[in-house]
């Protein structure tokens, strides 16, 4: 059992709004850091108004948009107008005893207020500043504002998402923002470790475009190796077949075959033994080459099964499969319930952190803050 959370005693000043920067701040709060969120007087973080839906607490009092609560758990809010000298002095006083500043202003914007990393080092030489921007501190696009939707498009993700004959699609959540928040957290923890060793702070440069490109993963390497830009495959996998959604008589099931043995077992279960014996399909490389024939044969067979019966048969053989759940299904799933992923704090719903240390889930004890 953990006596204290890993980041207890660490103080974070968050000069960030919307999603990427606040996501990093929330994760640090879940791990035990004290996170002080600096918001504009009167209106606060833009996402307080990004609804409906809106949240009310256990007493029926309005608490702002659900969006805001998704990325601001565990923080303390202060309202400061740092466009004037008094507000700037307030922020510097917060930073004096802080370990980390997270900010997501356009490149150079904080310099005119004397709140950029170089200026704040004069107040706190051990300070770690994490700057989150759309395109980074350098390069021809550095002055631009960056939004997740644009970054998914520019960073290649939308070219890989959607049906082959359809238009490019963004993901259903803001993954460029969320991945940037995650990478920012990793960078902050590395900088804290380095500061413990050398006693000096650091300026971290996190860009949404960098992070979106970085998570192209196997698709980027597929392009480097082949010289051909990958195309949209709908629910298909570029490197594995069969590995996609298949229709049954009463629903849809994901079947994810990862090796030749699983393919052979799948074929026998579906009454397609001849398919598994065909030398064209005996290896994954062959199945990728003959994707259309393999997928068509399997889908014709799966339509004769109910989703439940097919899933049960495949699970016995340890062939990975799963249903396509909507969010009502997700939060009614016994595994999700058992893992405690839906939480409530002071009558306000929320999502748990996925991090579990020595059996204890890392969740900040307070919900998202009210605007002072």
């Amino acid at each position: 059992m953990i006596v204290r959370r890993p980041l207890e005693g660490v103080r974070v000043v968050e000069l960030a709004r919307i999603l990427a920067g606040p996501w990093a701040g929330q994760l640090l709060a879940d791990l035990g850091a004290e996170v002080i969120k600096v918001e504009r007087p009167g209106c606060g973080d833009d996402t307080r108004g990004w609804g409906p839906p809106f949240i009310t607490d256990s007493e029926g009092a309005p608490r702002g948009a659900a969006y805001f609560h998704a990325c601001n758990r565990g923080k303390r809010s202060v309202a400061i107008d740092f466009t004037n000298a008094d507000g700037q002095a307030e922020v510097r006083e917060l930073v004096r005893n802080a370990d980390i500043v997270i900010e997501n202003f356009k490149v150079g914007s904080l310099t005119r207020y004397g709140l950029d990393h170089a200026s704040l080092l004069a107040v706190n030489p051990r300070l770690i500043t994490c700057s989150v921007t759309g395109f980074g501190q350098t390069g021809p696009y550095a002055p631009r504002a960056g939004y997740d939707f644009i970054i998914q498009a520019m960073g290649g993700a939308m070219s890989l998402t959607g049906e082959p004959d359809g238009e490019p699609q963004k993901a259903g959540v803001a993954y460029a923002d969320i991945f940037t928040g995650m990478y920012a957290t990793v960078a902050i923890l590395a900088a804290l470790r380095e500061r413990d060793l050398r006693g000096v702070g650091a300026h971290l440069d996190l860009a949404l475009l960098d992070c979106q490109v970085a998570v192209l993963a196997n698709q980027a390497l597929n392009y480097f190796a082949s010289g051909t830009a990958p195309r949209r495959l709908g629910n298909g996998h570029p490197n594995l077949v069969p590995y996609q959604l298949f229709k049954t008589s009463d629903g849809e099931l994901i079947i994810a075959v990862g090796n030749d043995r699983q393919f052979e077992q799948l074929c026998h279960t579906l009454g397609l033994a001849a398919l598994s014996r065909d030398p064209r399909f005996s290896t994954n490389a062959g199945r990728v080459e003959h994707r259309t024939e393999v997928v068509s044969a399997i889908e014709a067979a799966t339509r004769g099964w109910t989703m439940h019966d097919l899933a049960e048969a495949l699970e016995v053989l340890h062939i990975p499969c799963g249903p396509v759940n909507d969010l009502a299904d997700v939060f009614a799933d016994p595994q999700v319930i058992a893992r405690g992923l839906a939480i409530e704090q002071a009558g306000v719903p929320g999502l748990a952190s996925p991090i579990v240390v020595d059996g204890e889930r890392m969740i900040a004890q307070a919900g998202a803050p009210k605007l002072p």
Side-chain angles (χ1 to χ4, degrees):
M1 178 64 69
I2 294 175
V3 176
R4 64 194 303 273
R5 295 186 183 276
L7 295 185
E8 283 184 17
V10 173
R11 172 176 280 193
V12 181
V13 175
E14 184 184 294
L15 303 175
R17 65 269 188 226
I18 316 296
L19 185 53
W23 194 265
Q26 177 173 266
L27 183 49
L28 295 172
D30 281 336
L31 292 169
E34 177 192 8
V35 180
I36 304 167
K37 184 178 183 69
V38 178
E39 300 190 68
R40 291 173 296 175
C43 56
D45 190 308
D46 294 347
T47 61
R48 286 186 182 272
W50 282 18
F54 293 95
I55 294 290
T56 55
D57 62 22
S58 56
E59 298 177 352
R63 293 292 303 277
Y67 196 116
F68 177 80
H69 290 265
C71 49
N72 287 289
R73 175 176 59 244
K75 303 173 186 178
R76 174 165 65 91
S77 177
V78 295
I80 300 175
D81 178 3
F82 55 76
T83 63
N84 60 56
D86 288 343
Q88 292 157 21
E90 287 184 71
V91 172
R92 290 190 194 97
E93 193 58 35
L94 288 175
V95 168
R96 189 178 307 281
N97 296 313
D99 300 284
I100 300 151
V101 167
I102 302 172
E103 62 91 3
N104 66 348
F105 285 78
K106 285 185 181 180
V107 173
S109 293
L110 290 179
T111 303
R112 65 177 180 265
Y113 304 128
L115 299 177
D116 57 294
H117 177 67
S119 299
L120 292 178
L121 280 182
V123 177
N124 182 349
R126 290 169 53 84
L127 186 69
I128 296 163
T129 301
C130 181
S131 295
V132 177
T133 59
F135 298 96
Q137 301 293 306
T138 59
Y141 300 163
R144 295 187 188 180
Y147 293 90
D148 177 272
F149 191 4
I150 296 168
I151 298 299
Q152 287 195 40
M154 293 181 67
M158 288 179 61
S159 76
L160 304 172
T161 308
E163 293 301 319
D165 57 351
E167 65 182 13
Q169 293 286 323
K170 69 177 180 65
V173 296
Y175 278 120
D177 274 332
I178 290 172
F179 272 122
T180 302
M182 295 289 290
Y183 273 115
T185 304
V186 172
I188 287 167
L189 295 178
L192 279 172
R193 169 64 171 159
E194 181 70 4
R195 194 191 66 179
D196 288 345
L197 294 174
R198 297 178 55 232
V200 295
H203 184 213
L204 308 175
D205 175 7
L206 272 292
L208 270 68
L209 183 62
D210 291 3
C211 294
Q212 177 62 82
V213 172
V215 297
L216 292 174
N218 61 299
Q219 290 282 35
L221 270 293
N222 291 344
Y223 167 66
F224 294 154
S226 68
T228 301
R231 59 190 177 90
R232 293 189 296 280
L233 293 172
N235 288 307
H237 192 291
N239 301 109
L240 291 170
V241 173
Y243 196 106
Q244 65 182 71
L245 179 151
F246 289 95
K247 295 183 183 299
T248 68
S249 64
D250 62 350
E252 298 162 327
L253 188 71
I254 302 295
I255 300 175
V257 168
N259 57 53
D260 297 337
R261 175 62 176 161
Q262 288 178 352
F263 178 68
E264 181 181 356
Q265 291 177 318
L266 173 66
C267 288
H268 279 273
T269 300
L270 296 176
L272 298 173
L275 192 73
S276 69
R277 292 194 296 267
D278 190 319
R280 294 176 300 166
F281 313 139
S282 60
T283 66
N284 180 67
R287 294 192 293 277
V288 171
E289 182 181 353
H290 298 283
R291 178 188 300 271
T292 300
E293 295 157 272
V294 174
V295 169
S296 295
I298 292 173
E299 185 160 64
T302 61
R303 286 179 181 273
W305 291 70
T306 67
M307 185 172 65
H308 175 270
D309 288 347
L310 181 55
E312 193 172 67
L314 297 182
E315 286 169 6
V316 168
L317 297 171
H318 305 293
I319 297 173
C321 64
V324 180
N325 289 334
D326 65 18
L327 295 201
D329 298 325
V330 169
F331 292 108
D333 187 285
Q335 182 66 19
V336 173
I337 293 171
R339 296 289 288 177
L341 294 173
I343 61 174
E344 185 174 296
Q345 293 168 313
V348 176
L351 286 175
S353 163
I355 299 174
V356 178
V357 180
D358 289 340
E360 182 177 347
R361 192 170 291 278
M362 299 287 102
I363 307 173
Q365 298 305 298
K370 295 179 181 178
L371 186 64

